[in-house]
Amino acid sequence: MTIIPARLIYTLFSLGVFMRAVVVDAPGGPEAARVREVDSPTPALGEVLIRVAACGMCGHDQADRMGLTKAPLPGILGHEIAGTVVALGDCVRHVTVGDRVAVKQFSYCGRCRDCFAGRDVDCAFRAFTYGGYAELVAVPEVAVLPVPEHVALTDAAVAACALGSCVQALDGIARLRSGETVVVTGAGGGLGLHGLQAAKARGATVIAVTSSAAKTGVLTAADHVVVADGDWWPQILELTNGRGAEVVLDNVGHPAVFRQAFRGLARRGRYVFTGQVSDAPIRVHPAFLFEKEAVITGSASTTMASFAEAMALIANGQVTPVTTHYSLEDAATAFVDLDARRVGGRIVLVPETS
């Protein structure tokens, strides 16, 4: 039997027994996301309870909502979380009540060989984070990172996923070097806008590719903007004096985009997939790889080191998060806009609790 300390019982009583949350009972469209009152969570062993100030909404949440993943439904989605710690479970050592924190997409054991090597994405005990679309959420202490006082929590919410995924792809996978050229596809989206800035912070020349001419105005971090209309790969070659880009950060993962972007890749270039908007498979002739001696790979998530680096980029002003805010009650509308790709940057749900 678990014994809850008296101080924790008092804290939870002061917070309230119930909270508002966006619950998805069964897979479906945006209307599947409904706001209602549910039981407030209690932090278990090694967990911290966070009053959510902001939670980003990304493509993974779309897949969860539609039943394309192993998300536990019915349940509360949301993994791009930032807020203030309001209670502690037993054995929490490095976090205190009142700390401003952001949360990584997944927790890990911190004790296995992969974790010790900095490869926490490979931890056998890795567990995805859920529950951010709510006023309160309980998460393992190992998954949280302090937020500097001058960083807004709505900005910190996107550090792990929208920005950290790009930092991991550029640093950990592509091994980007200063002076190289990076092509970023889906440049107007949540990953794209932050990937542009991350690449620029690494000293790269950045070419933004967008299918929406209406979004070109927000691509201010790019050195060049290419609107994906017709054959656009020749523009990549022209902008690189025929050489091609050393790195492609593909946030779209669509065959039509791949065909064009791969032709704009330099010899011995690195092509990194970070997203997929279609279930259509990507096909490539081995001869094309022989000719370019290219590397085609993917980047699945964010290590804690990349999370910390992403937070530092925000804190020192090298990356300015691009977010659009919706209330919890407007979660279904936010999903409609996300599905339609109407929003540049990242959608962030703000519970607006007192």
Side-chain angles (χ1 to χ4, degrees):
M1 181 178 69
T2 301
I3 299 176
I4 302 176
R7 62 180 176 84
L8 180 55
I9 293 175
Y10 174 79
T11 300
L12 295 176
F13 179 79
S14 65
L15 291 170
V17 178
F18 301 105
M19 67 172 183
R20 291 180 304 142
V22 178
V23 180
V24 177
D25 291 307
E31 71 284 350
R34 298 183 177 93
V35 178
R36 64 171 181 259
E37 281 199 342
V38 299
D39 293 340
S40 296
T42 302
L45 182 73
E47 290 186 339
V48 300
L49 184 67
I50 299 170
R51 184 179 291 282
V52 179
C55 185
M57 179 181 282
C58 82
H60 195 291
D61 298 319
Q62 287 175 297
D64 289 340
R65 188 203 75 213
M66 292 185 289
L68 303 179
T69 66
K70 296 181 180 179
L73 300 181
I76 303 169
L77 305 182
H79 56 275
E80 299 185 6
I81 305 162
T84 303
V85 176
V86 292
L88 308 176
D90 283 343
C91 298
V92 172
R93 297 287 181 262
H94 304 290
V95 179
T96 61
V97 171
D99 284 355
R100 303 167 76 247
V101 297
V103 182
K104 197 149 80 74
Q105 304 98 305
F106 62 89
S107 60
Y108 51 98
C109 75
R111 301 295 301 172
C112 68
R113 180 171 60 183
D114 287 322
C115 287
F116 281 141
R119 298 190 301 269
D120 45 276
V121 293
D122 297 326
C123 176
F125 299 95
R126 168 177 163 169
F128 199 78
T129 300
Y130 293 104
Y133 292 178
E135 293 180 306
L136 296 166
V137 62
V139 301
E141 176 191 19
V142 71
V144 307
L145 187 73
V147 176
E149 281 299 323
H150 66 283
V151 173
L153 290 172
T154 48
D155 288 346
V158 305
C161 191
L163 178 57
S165 296
C166 295
V167 170
Q168 175 68 15
L170 293 170
D171 290 353
I173 306 299
R175 306 292 182 187
L176 177 65
R177 296 182 289 270
S178 179
E180 292 187 317
T181 297
V182 178
V183 168
V184 179
T185 70
L191 284 174
L193 279 173
H194 298 97
L196 291 175
Q197 296 183 69
K200 196 66 180 175
R202 292 293 181 263
T205 297
V206 184
I207 301 174
V209 178
T210 178
S211 60
S212 174
K215 291 184 178 181
T216 57
V218 300
L219 304 177
T220 56
D223 295 287
H224 309 283
V225 176
V226 172
V227 177
D229 184 17
D231 283 341
W232 47 268
W233 65 269
Q235 295 182 59
I236 305 298
L237 297 184
E238 181 180 354
L239 291 169
T240 57
N241 296 315
R243 184 185 67 254
E246 285 83 6
V247 174
V248 172
L249 191 64
D250 190 345
N251 302 306
V252 180
H254 191 281
V257 173
F258 173 78
R259 284 194 295 270
Q260 302 260 358
F262 186 78
R263 295 188 73 171
L265 186 69
R267 281 184 57 80
R268 301 181 186 88
R270 291 90 73 198
Y271 197 109
V272 185
F273 287 103
T274 57
Q276 182 178 0
V277 300
S278 166
D279 61 359
I282 302 294
R283 294 184 174 89
V284 59
H285 289 289
F288 296 156
L289 298 180
F290 300 160
E291 180 184 352
K292 284 184 182 283
E293 297 182 353
V295 173
I296 300 177
T297 184
S299 184
S301 192
T302 309
T303 62
M304 183 55 81
S306 293
F307 185 15
E309 176 60 21
M311 188 68 73
L313 289 173
I314 295 172
N316 66 27
Q318 287 183 279
V319 171
T320 301
V322 182
T323 60
T324 300
H325 303 169
Y326 293 73
S327 67
L328 282 185
E329 283 71 19
D330 290 330
T333 300
F335 267 126
V336 169
D337 291 343
L338 181 64
D339 289 357
R341 302 183 200 173
R342 294 193 185 111
V343 178
R346 196 56 123 208
I347 288 174
V348 173
L349 296 185
V350 180
E352 296 176 346
T353 55
S354 58

